[in-house]
Amino acid sequence: MSRHATRLTRTLPLTTLTVTLALALALLTPTPTPAQAAAPPPATYYVDCRAGNDNNAGTDPAHPLRTLAKASARTYRPGERILFERGTTCTGTFAPKGSGTPGAPIAAGAYGTDTGTAKPHFEGNGARAAVLLDNVQQWELHDLDVSNTGPATTTARRAGILVRLTDFGTGHHYAVRDVDVHDVNGADFKDPDPSGGILFAAQGAVTPTGFDDVTVSGSTVNHVDRTGIGTSSTWGRRPEHPQGPGTTFVPITGLRVENNRVADTGGDGIVIQNADGALAEHNTVDGFNARSAGYNAGLWAWNSDHVRYQYNEVSHGHGTRDSMAFDIDGGNNGNVYQYNYSHDNEGGFLLVCNGGGMTSADNVVRHNISVNDRNRSAPYGIVSVVCGASTRTQVYDNTVVTNQSGTAMVSDNGPGNVTFRNNVFVSSAPGGAPFADPRNTYDHNLYRGVGAAPASDHSPVTADPAFTAPVPAGPYDVQLRSGSAALRAGVPIADDVTRDWFGNAVASPPNIGAYQGPGAAPGHPGHSDQPGHSASYGYGTGLRAS
């Protein structure tokens, strides 16, 4: 401060100095703004399609909304819920707007004092979908009953629940649980815009688009056309599928399909496409490929890597144009089928079919049981190795038995590169179930009632396996009695499996086939009652916890 300023300050009266300083401070201090109002807490909206009123606010159960159109008109905020009155039927499409955020998803479900009352029913009346989540994310659906029946059609795509992203980028967190979807009569369209029960479709051609964190659990799908539960994508091009759709590959990640029951589908039961690291477990598929003109399977993947299928039951596939329980198809890499049970499928137990120009490698089929599957249409069999060749496919420690006549046990039409090791192959049918496969590799398998063993198996076992039931009709019937030629007759395989389908520790050296326990006394059921087995067939826990 200059001397002049000092002298000036000293000559100012005290009151003048105080006012001057106050004005200076006022000029330096920002003008305060009114405090922003706090955001209201997430609301819950109620819909009663029988007794509600669309003029209501809908924010309490005594004053619910009436229609799906009104419930769809609002843009919902993170954490909000839309609940539908139990025992009511809503007609049309529920197509809400708005997205949740991590930790605050938006949920649609049921309300009502009596939880035993029927779930709220949505009837799409032939619309594209009865429930349509379109370009939104962070959504959960639960405790709903959904159908979509319109006039008979060969052109209209229909779905029960369709979650669709178009040029969206990656959509996160979708959960469908305890939902019943039934009676969807869509046309026989598969990809990229399918018909079916519960569907996730990534579409568009501008912005690479896919899903992350998707769960479908505890739900039922019955009498739908064409796919029961499925994913699809127009973003499937990669070195393993160079002719795939789109300009790049966007895999679905964090996908879990578990504890669902699928029955009477026109086409596929459960199909996983464009996925990486998906898990499908404890599902039941009973009746598939009932009305489709296409190729279908019970539980399978396309253009997907590291998918694990375990503890599933697949049965009553119709037709012989595919229609097998399980399928290693085009662009599948590092996928594993284990601890599954298939039975009574007209298309057989397993297909190995790599698409032309695609890469399918390092897939494993182990510790599964097939009972009374068949395929009487050449070049198929109970196990079919067709289409283009896969690489390093391993099929081991499985038990395949059939009482069906006129079927090959394993058949091929050219491809090789599949190794069958430590499997039980048994036919009790007149004429047996011969091998029509001179190209693949066999080692330490047991053969009974199948004609000559494949020439490549230099350590075949051709004795009676001594099952606990002479003619097996279910999975527990294929356990081994004391003295079985399959006991400790397999070759060790280095993997991470410690238990068999029944919960027994894997024998050392291993038994041939899916049963790894000790030989049971005649007339003794022989199975292990391990904790954690499923209610229907007692699937074992198998792998070590990771």
Side-chain angles (χ1 to χ4, degrees):
M1 183 177 291
S2 70
R3 293 179 181 177
H4 177 75
T6 302
R7 287 197 304 268
L8 199 61
T9 302
R10 288 174 180 170
T11 60
L12 287 174
L14 181 60
T15 54
T16 303
L17 179 60
T18 303
V19 171
T20 302
L21 291 174
L23 289 173
L25 288 172
L27 291 174
L28 294 174
T29 303
T31 302
T33 59
Q36 293 184 350
T44 298
Y45 293 88
Y46 300 85
V47 183
D48 182 345
C49 291
R50 177 177 53 204
N53 188 323
D54 282 348
N55 291 322
N56 291 335
T59 52
D60 69 85
H63 301 89
L65 303 174
R66 174 94 181 210
T67 66
L68 292 180
K70 186 67 173 181
S72 301
R74 180 179 178 81
T75 298
Y76 294 97
R77 298 186 300 110
E80 293 191 325
R81 299 187 301 161
I82 310 94
L83 304 181
F84 297 84
E85 174 73 18
R86 292 180 180 273
T88 61
T89 294
C90 301
T91 302
T93 297
F94 178 53
K97 297 178 285 294
S99 293
T101 55
I106 303 169
Y111 78 98
T113 56
D114 183 3
T115 57
T117 303
K119 298 173 182 176
H121 176 213
F122 296 179
E123 169 50 59
N125 272 1
R128 179 63 187 93
V131 178
L132 175 63
L133 299 183
D134 200 12
N135 274 9
V136 296
Q137 62 181 328
Q138 296 286 341
W139 269 86
E140 298 182 354
L141 306 174
H142 61 90
D143 296 296
L144 304 175
D145 182 87
V146 179
S147 61
N148 190 6
T149 304
T153 182
T154 58
T155 59
R157 292 168 168 84
R158 295 175 183 149
I161 296 173
L162 173 60
V163 183
R164 183 174 62 193
L165 298 179
T166 305
D167 291 324
F168 183 85
T170 298
H172 299 277
H173 186 71
Y174 303 85
V176 179
R177 66 178 187 275
D178 298 321
V179 166
D180 300 319
V181 179
H182 55 93
D183 299 304
V184 178
N185 65 337
D188 190 14
F189 289 110
K190 189 170 188 172
D191 303 315
D193 194 14
S195 293
I198 301 174
L199 305 173
F200 290 80
Q203 300 180 350
V206 178
T207 303
T209 295
F211 294 92
D212 173 66
D213 186 16
V214 176
T215 301
V216 181
S217 63
S219 297
T220 67
V221 177
N222 184 47
H223 190 61
V224 302
D225 292 310
R226 64 175 307 284
T227 299
I229 299 172
T231 66
S232 62
S233 177
T234 60
W235 299 95
R237 181 167 295 189
R238 59 178 180 148
E240 293 83 358
H241 188 13
Q243 301 304 313
T247 56
T248 189
F249 182 63
V250 184
I252 296 173
T253 55
L255 173 63
R256 298 177 67 93
V257 182
E258 52 194 6
N259 295 298
N260 303 289
R261 181 175 181 84
V262 176
D264 188 20
T265 66
D268 293 307
I270 299 173
V271 56
I272 293 171
Q273 302 188 59
N274 257 65
D276 190 358
L279 175 67
E281 65 177 2
H282 294 291
N283 301 289
T284 298
V285 177
D286 185 10
F288 60 94
N289 199 27
R291 293 169 292 278
S292 174
Y295 295 95
N296 301 283
L299 181 61
W300 68 290
W302 171 263
N303 199 26
S304 295
D305 298 342
H306 312 114
V307 181
R308 181 156 294 195
Y309 310 85
Q310 56 189 19
Y311 318 123
N312 302 289
E313 178 183 351
V314 179
S315 61
H316 301 110
H318 298 287
T320 54
R321 192 182 187 190
D322 285 16
S323 198
M324 56 288 302
F326 309 115
D327 175 10
I328 295 173
D329 219 296
N332 288 345
N333 299 278
N335 295 353
V336 176
Y337 285 100
Q338 61 184 14
Y339 308 119
N340 300 292
Y341 171 46
S342 74
H343 61 98
D344 302 293
N345 293 290
E346 292 180 2
F349 159 57
L350 174 67
L351 175 69
V352 181
C353 174
N354 186 30
M358 301 178 75
T359 299
S360 185
D362 301 310
N363 298 290
V364 173
V365 180
R366 63 191 181 195
H367 291 275
N368 304 285
I369 297 173
S370 165
V371 176
N372 296 336
D373 293 323
R374 75 269 189 197
N375 195 320
R376 300 185 175 105
S377 178
Y380 295 104
I382 297 173
V383 177
S384 306
V385 185
V386 295
C387 311
S390 62
T391 305
R392 296 182 300 277
T393 301
Q394 302 290 320
V395 180
Y396 63 87
D397 292 345
N398 305 285
T399 295
V400 182
V401 300
T402 190
N403 62 8
Q404 300 293 303
S405 60
T407 183
M409 181 62 72
V410 181
S411 181
D412 78 78
N413 68 347
N417 297 329
V418 180
T419 299
F420 296 88
R421 182 175 285 118
N422 292 355
N423 302 288
V424 169
F425 297 111
V426 172
S427 171
S428 61
F435 281 75
D437 177 27
R439 297 174 178 84
N440 292 292
T441 301
Y442 293 81
D443 177 42
H444 281 82
N445 301 288
L446 185 149
Y447 309 91
R448 188 72 169 180
V450 298
S456 65
D457 195 334
H458 300 298
S459 301
V461 176
T462 57
D464 185 345
F467 293 135
T468 52
V471 180
Y476 287 113
D477 295 342
V478 305
Q479 295 170 106
L480 305 175
R481 289 187 281 116
S482 180
S484 168
L487 292 170
R488 302 296 183 92
V491 60
I493 297 174
D495 60 17
D496 56 354
V497 177
T498 61
R499 299 263 174 195
D500 70 1
W501 190 97
F502 306 89
N504 300 301
V506 173
S508 181
N511 300 342
I512 297 176
Y515 177 73
Q516 293 294 313
H524 189 275
H527 69 265
S528 172
D529 292 319
Q530 293 286 325
H533 288 184
S534 78
S536 57
Y537 280 107
Y539 304 134
T541 52
L543 296 178
R544 294 191 299 264
S546 59

